[in-house]
């Protein structure tokens, strides 16, 4: 019975994980290795004979309970990794949606045939595009730090929201000015 380092953090290359979580993972690997050694000793005692079955039974029961606890911890860790992946997918989906919103605002402004746009609007549009790029860059970094992605995504959402509100306000102001002129 050999313990392979199946828990080796390949995910560590993909997702940024805190030092505390890495330490817990390392501890779990060590515990699993110790349990494997303990199991080998019990198997050797069993095959050699001379050891009371009640003792072996008790030891195996304890080992089983310890392994079940390790399994629960690993399941929790797997759930966390699945949550990272889900958050990553959602962030990518939001980035696509925000990019579409920028495109829609540009089309909306273009279709409105405005004589000119204030410089502040151009700055806001540039900020919106830049915030989307920042989120995209964070999503491409390895290891992926989902906390940083979420921070940049929140900034992008707020910027796009401001761009949308400003665009609607400009269009409403132009329509109002046209009515006044008429």
């Amino acid at each position: 019975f050999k313990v392979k380092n199946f828990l080796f953090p390949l995910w560590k290359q993909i997702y940024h994980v805190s030092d505390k979580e890495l330490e817990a993972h390392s501890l779990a690997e060590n515990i699993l290795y110790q349990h494997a050694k303990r199991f080998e000793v019990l198997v050797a005692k069993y095959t050699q004979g001379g050891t009371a079955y009640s003792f072996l039974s008790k030891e195996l029961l304890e080992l089983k309970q310890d392994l079940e606890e390790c399994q629960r911890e690993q399941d929790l860790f797997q759930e966390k990794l699945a949550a990272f992946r889900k958050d990553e997918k959602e962030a990518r989906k939001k980035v696509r949606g925000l990019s579409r919103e920028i495109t829609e605002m540009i089309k909306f402004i273009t279709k409105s045939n405005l004589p000119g746009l204030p410089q502040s609007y151009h700055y806001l549009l540039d900020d919106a595009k830049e915030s989307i790029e920042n989120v995209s860059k964070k999503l491409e970094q390895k290891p992926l730090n989902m906390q940083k992605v979420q921070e940049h995504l929140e900034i992008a959402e707020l910027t796009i929201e401001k761009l949308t509100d400003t665009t609607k306000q400009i269009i409403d102001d132009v329509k109002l000015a046209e009515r006044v002129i008429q």
Side-chain angles (χ1 to χ4, degrees), residues 27-151:
L27 181 63
E29 283 183 337
N30 288 336
I31 290 171
L32 188 60
Y33 179 76
Q34 290 170 2
H35 288 328
K37 288 292 186 190
R38 191 169 151 201
F39 179 76
E40 289 173 2
V41 168
L42 290 174
V43 167
K45 285 181 180 180
Y46 173 76
T47 56
Q48 291 173 357
T51 305
Y53 287 114
S54 60
F55 172 78
L56 290 174
S57 174
K58 180 183 172 191
E59 287 290 315
L60 284 173
L61 185 60
E62 287 176 15
L63 184 60
K64 178 183 176 197
Q65 291 170 345
D66 290 345
L67 287 173
E68 286 172 350
E69 178 62 31
C70 282
Q71 182 64 47
R72 280 191 293 274
E73 289 176 20
Q74 290 303 312
D75 290 345
L76 288 173
F77 193 73
Q78 289 296 331
E79 288 173 16
K80 183 169 186 116
L81 291 178
F84 275 147
R85 182 67 180 142
K86 180 182 173 191
D87 291 346
E88 178 187 0
K89 285 181 179 182
E90 286 178 16
R92 290 183 189 279
K93 184 178 177 180
K94 283 183 182 179
V95 166
R96 285 190 301 272
L98 292 173
S99 294
R100 271 192 300 276
E101 278 188 55
I102 290 176
T103 304
E104 288 173 15
M105 290 302 113
I106 292 171
K107 286 179 183 178
F108 193 50
I109 286 290
T110 305
K111 286 181 181 180
S112 298
N113 291 326
L114 300 177
L117 292 170
Q119 190 63 34
S120 61
Y121 185 80
H122 290 289
Y123 290 143
L124 184 58
L125 185 58
D126 290 340
D127 284 347
K129 290 177 183 178
E130 185 180 335
S131 65
I132 294 290
E133 287 177 28
N134 289 339
V135 177
S136 295
K137 285 178 186 175
K138 288 293 178 188
L139 281 168
E140 298 308 316
Q141 287 181 347
K142 299 295 180 210
L144 181 61
N145 185 336
M146 283 309 297
Q147 183 179 356
K148 293 288 184 189
V149 169
Q150 293 297 340
E151 289 171 8

